[in-house]
Every structure is written in C-alpha cells, then in structure tokens.
C-alpha cells in the first residue's frame, strides 16, 4: 500500500490556507461520476456555513476508473481540497490513512453520496471543537431523524444495531451511518487498536471508544437513501458478523488494553462537591422516605405482635431495635449508594446512636401518654408512637446523611482533556 498527499503543481502554487480546524475525509472507490458534485456541494456548504478553517480530503482507495483524475481536478479547482491515494481497497484503510496523516484537531468523514443533510455537519463537530465530546455520530434511528429508504435497508440497519446491543452491549444507536467525527487526539489513541480495514471499521472504533469511557455525541439526521448504492449487502453483512465475533472474543479474553486506554483518554471523575452542598437531596429524601415507611410498618407490626407478651415499653424497645438495624442497612445501600463492607460497622454504630435517640423519643412519648391516661386506647397509643417515629425518622436522616455521605473518600482528580487550541474561532479568509 502506498499513500500520497502530493497534489499536482497547480495545487502547490496556491498561497497556503490557514491551519484547518476540521478535516472532512471522503473515502472513494470508483466514484468518478458522484465525486465532483459531492465535493463541490460540500465545499460550498462549508464556505458558507462553517465558521472555522476547513479542509476536504478525497481518500481514493485503489480506484480503477477515472476517480483519481477527477479528485486531482477538484484539488486544482477548489481551495482547501487535497487528495490522498492508496493502492489497496477498504474504507477503513482509507480513513485510517487520511486521519493519521491529518494535522487538523477535528476529523470527520462522510459518504460520497451525501445521503445525510449537510445541515447536521456543524452540530456534529461543534461538541468536538469545544472539547465537550470525544466522538460524534449521525443517527438515523433517533425519534427526530427523518429518513427515506426502502424497507429492506431499514430492517437490515435496525437488525444490525439490535445485534450489536445484544452481543457487544453498545449504547450508541446507529453504527453504520456514514457521517461521523472524532477528535484527533482520541483518534491517535484508538486507531492503532482498530483492526478492520473495511465497513466494520466504524463499529469497532465506536465499541472501543465506549469501552474506554469516551463521550459519544449523537446527532439526529435527515437522510435519503442513495438508490444507486453499490454496497454488496451480503458480503458486508458477513464481514460485519466476523468482525463482531472477533471483537467480542477480544473483549471477553481481555486482550485489548482497555484499562490503559481508559486511563489515557477517559474523562476525569467529577470533583466531589463542597461538604456543605447537598448531593441529590430530593432523590435521597424520596428513597429515605420509602425506607422509613417500610420500617415504620414493620415496627408497628412487631410492636403489636409483642406488646401482649412484653408490655408496651419492652415491645417498643424490641421492635425499634430490629427495625433500626434493617433501616440502617437499607438506607446505606438504597439511599446513600454505599455497598460492600467498608465502614459498615461504623455506619451501623452510628445507626444505633440514631436508634437511641429514636428510642428516647418514642419511650418518652409512651411514658408521657401513660402518665396522662393509665389505660389509653390502643389507637391513641399507636398515633402517639407514629408521631414520635416521624420525629425520630427526620432526626435519623440528618444523622445518617452526615455520617455516610460527607465521609466518602474523595477520588483523585485527573485533568479533563482540553479543547484543541486550533479550534478557537479565527477568520477563515480566502485562499
């Protein structure tokens, strides 16, 4: 395989354009008819609507017709158009070569048929330019996407994405849409691990990105099927199945350095909030309330079941002790999201402290009630206990939250990837 970025002399004679922020690659094989209209339309759109310097790279992979000559003619005709030729076929191979050689901080590609509406291009790359996301894909399967294509291709596309979800546990919605972008620093880390050189290239790249913890931005697109597409559906489907098998086996055996990739490219964990700022307080209150209702019901059942044998005070002590231990365990896991045995003893000790305060409230309420009425009705007794338990529950939430939430060990902070300097707005100018 050979690769060349040298355009013809008429191209070299132009004044150099400013450094490109975006490099859009058009991989082609025997596309002499569609290439010219595609590149001219894309160039006109970028010139009119894209606010940063750009480049269009035609990546010709082993065309045997006049595609390469058309590409060189376009490079001579239009500013910011370059040509790259490879002697071997494969869309993935062409993208790898073009992206690896590019000096732009944001890299993209689209199919030569331009089935995707170009209005989605700026929304596709904007999160990458800003540094918010790592990769971006166009999706034809979002609710707001508008797609025109035959039933056969619709079924195949949805079936393929369902297969990916079931076998490789992907979370992105559309692996095959020929409209994607990636930050150059992320591409540098992922491309050496992508083995496929054909149509499975996109899927493999996205799966690795997801497993590395990278942020994948999805853009709903308007998409019109190209009726003249020459993609061999059967051969492509078989190649995709082989790719899924190979990649799934690599993930299961641990042969991919995902931990190193995650450490290199993954985003830093969020910084812990200041100690006085509540985290998820409404959700914690809701879960604590649900646990509290269940605990109160269990407490009342135990109290009624043991009162006859133990008397009101000992029945209260027994019921409160049993439900306090269960309440602490449930709140530890469900309300505050703490699992495992770390600090469990300390948390239960603090729960027993809250239990002691609750016991003082409920026992004191019972004692006060019996001091007023020697034999109060059972309904009145239960009402007083419920009110005392509500007060004890509020006190328990404050104590448990202070004990469990703010004593979590902070995770060391790694610096988040910075947006490329070249991505700052600058005048495009005329080349």
């Amino acid at each position: 395989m050979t690769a060349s970025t040298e355009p013809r002399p008429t191209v070299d004679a132009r004044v150099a354009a400013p450094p490109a922020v975006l490099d859009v690659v058009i991989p082609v094989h025997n596309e002499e008819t569609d290439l010219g209209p595609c590149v001219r339309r894309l160039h006109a759109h970028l010139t009119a609507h894209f606010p940063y310097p750009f480049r269009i790279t035609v990546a010709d992979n082993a065309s045997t017709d006049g595609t390469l000559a058309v590409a060189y003619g376009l490079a001579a005709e239009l500013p910011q158009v370059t040509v790259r030729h490879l002697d071997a076929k494969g869309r993935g191979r062409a993208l790898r070569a073009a992206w690896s050689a590019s000096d732009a901080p944001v890299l993209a590609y689209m199919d030569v048929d331009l089935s995707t509406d170009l209005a989605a291009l700026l929304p596709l790359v904007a999160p990458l330019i800003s540094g918010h996301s790592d990769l971006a894909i166009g999706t034809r399967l979002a609710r707001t996407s508008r797609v025109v294509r035959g039933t056969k291709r619709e079924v195949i596309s949805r079936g393929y994405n369902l297969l990916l979800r079931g076998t490789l546990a992907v979370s992105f919605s559309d692996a095959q849409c020929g409209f994607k972008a990636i930050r150059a620093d992320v591409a540098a880390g992922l491309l050496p691990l992508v083995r496929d050189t054909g149509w499975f290239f996109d899927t493999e790249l996205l799966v690795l990105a997801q497993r590395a913890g990278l942020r994948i931005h999805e853009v709903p697109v308007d998409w019109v099927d190209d009726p003249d597409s020459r993609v061999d559906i059967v051969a492509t489907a078989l190649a995709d199945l082989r790719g899924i098998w190979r990649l799934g086996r690599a993930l299961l055996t641990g042969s991919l350095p995902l931990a190193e990739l995650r450490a290199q490219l993954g985003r830093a964990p969020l910084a812990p909030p200041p100690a006085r700022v509540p985290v998820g307080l409404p959700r914690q209150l809701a879960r604590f309330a649900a646990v509290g209702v269940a605990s109160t019901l269990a407490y009342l059942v135990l109290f009624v079941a043991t009162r006859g044998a133990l008397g009101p005070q000992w029945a209260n002590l027994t019921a409160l002790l049993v439900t306090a231990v269960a309440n602490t365990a449930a709140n530890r896991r469900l309300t505050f999201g703490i699992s495992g045995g770390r600090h469990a003893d300390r948390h239960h000790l603090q729960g027993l402290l809250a239990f002691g305060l609750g016991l003082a409230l409920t026992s004191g309420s019972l004692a006060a009630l019996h001091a007023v009425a020697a034999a109060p009705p059972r309904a009145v007794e239960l009402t007083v206990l419920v009110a005392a338990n509500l007060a004890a529950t509020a006190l328990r939430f404050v104590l448990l939250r202070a004990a469990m939430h703010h004593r979590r060990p902070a995770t060391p902070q790694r610096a988040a990837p910075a947006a490329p300097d070249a991505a700052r707005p600058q005048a495009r100018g005329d080349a």
Side-chain angles (χ1 to χ4, degrees):
M1 179 184 72
T2 61
S4 172
T5 56
E6 294 297 328
R8 293 186 174 181
T10 54
V11 179
D12 290 340
R14 294 198 304 261
V15 176
V21 169
L22 172 67
D23 192 346
V24 182
V25 178
I26 310 292
V28 289
H29 173 75
N30 292 345
E31 297 286 357
E32 62 179 353
T33 301
D34 293 338
L35 181 58
C38 162
V39 173
R40 291 188 181 93
R41 179 181 161 196
L42 175 60
H43 187 275
H45 176 85
L46 289 170
T47 301
H49 302 291
F50 193 71
Y52 304 100
F54 66 87
R55 180 188 308 121
I56 300 172
T57 300
V58 179
D60 173 61
N61 51 112
S63 292
T64 57
D65 61 0
T67 298
L68 186 59
V70 172
Y72 280 131
L74 291 167
E77 171 191 345
L78 299 172
Q80 297 99 16
V81 174
T82 61
V83 180
R84 187 168 187 83
H85 174 69
L86 292 87
D87 291 335
K89 287 179 59 176
R91 183 181 69 165
R93 179 180 286 109
L95 289 175
R96 183 199 307 276
W99 281 355
S100 298
S102 179
D103 59 355
V106 177
L107 312 168
Y109 96 87
M110 59 185 65
D111 292 334
V112 70
D113 57 17
L114 291 188
S115 294
T116 304
D117 186 354
L118 292 177
L121 182 55
L122 184 56
L124 182 81
V125 301
L128 309 187
I129 293 174
S130 69
H132 174 271
S133 299
D134 306 301
L135 297 89
I137 65 173
T139 176
R140 299 161 294 184
L141 302 181
R143 291 182 180 273
T144 54
S145 298
R146 299 186 298 176
V147 177
V148 178
R149 61 176 166 183
T151 303
K152 179 180 178 181
R153 285 184 175 271
E154 181 76 12
V155 170
I156 291 174
S157 177
R158 291 187 179 274
Y160 179 69
N161 284 283
L162 285 174
L163 179 64
L164 290 179
R165 287 178 180 271
T167 56
L168 299 178
V170 305
S171 58
F172 46 86
S173 65
D174 192 349
Q176 292 178 310
C177 183
F179 194 72
K180 297 183 175 69
I182 186 171
R183 291 211 327 262
D185 58 322
V186 173
L190 291 178
L191 289 179
L193 300 178
V194 179
R195 290 177 52 188
D196 192 81
T197 59
W199 294 96
F200 190 69
F201 174 90
D202 303 46
T203 301
E204 188 169 359
L205 182 73
L206 290 171
V207 171
L208 291 176
Q210 177 183 305
R211 294 301 181 102
L214 300 180
R215 180 174 289 167
I216 301 175
H217 175 68
E218 297 198 9
V219 178
V221 297
D222 295 341
W223 195 87
V224 179
D225 189 17
D226 177 13
D228 296 326
S229 175
R230 286 167 287 178
V231 176
D232 188 331
I233 295 178
V234 175
T236 301
L238 292 175
D240 287 341
L241 290 175
R242 289 193 294 269
I244 291 173
W245 168 255
R246 172 182 55 78
L247 184 55
R249 185 175 57 183
L251 293 172
L252 286 174
T253 59
S255 60
L256 292 169
L258 293 177
E260 293 85 346
L261 197 63
R262 190 177 295 109
Q264 175 190 353
L265 300 176
R267 293 179 175 269
L270 294 176
R276 294 183 180 178
V277 178
V279 177
L281 183 57
R283 181 177 296 180
Q284 288 182 353
L285 281 171
R287 293 182 178 181
F288 186 85
V291 172
V293 169
S295 298
T296 300
L297 291 175
Y299 164 81
L300 292 175
V301 169
L302 287 172
F303 176 81
V304 171
T306 58
R307 186 187 185 282
L310 302 178
Q313 290 291 357
W314 283 104
N316 175 61
L317 172 63
T318 301
L320 200 60
L321 180 61
V322 172
T323 54
V325 173
N327 182 283
T328 300
N331 278 312
R332 187 173 184 269
R333 180 67 184 90
L334 300 177
T335 303
F336 303 108
I338 301 174
S339 58
R342 181 179 174 84
H343 301 313
D345 294 340
R346 188 183 70 189
H347 293 156
H348 278 286
L349 182 62
Q350 292 157 338
L352 289 176
L353 173 61
F355 155 76
L357 295 174
L359 178 63
L361 279 173
T362 54
S363 296
S365 300
L366 273 177
L369 175 64
H370 284 271
V372 173
R378 186 65 53 86
V380 174
E381 194 175 60
L382 291 177
T383 301
V384 169
L385 286 175
V386 169
N389 263 288
L390 289 175
T393 297
L395 181 61
R396 173 184 290 274
F397 177 78
V398 173
L399 293 176
L400 289 183
R401 193 170 195 278
M404 295 186 188
H405 180 72
H406 295 305
R407 293 186 182 181
R408 291 181 186 177
T411 305
Q413 175 80 0
R414 289 195 300 112
D421 290 339
R424 296 171 182 166
Q426 51 184 297
R428 182 169 59 240
D430 295 325

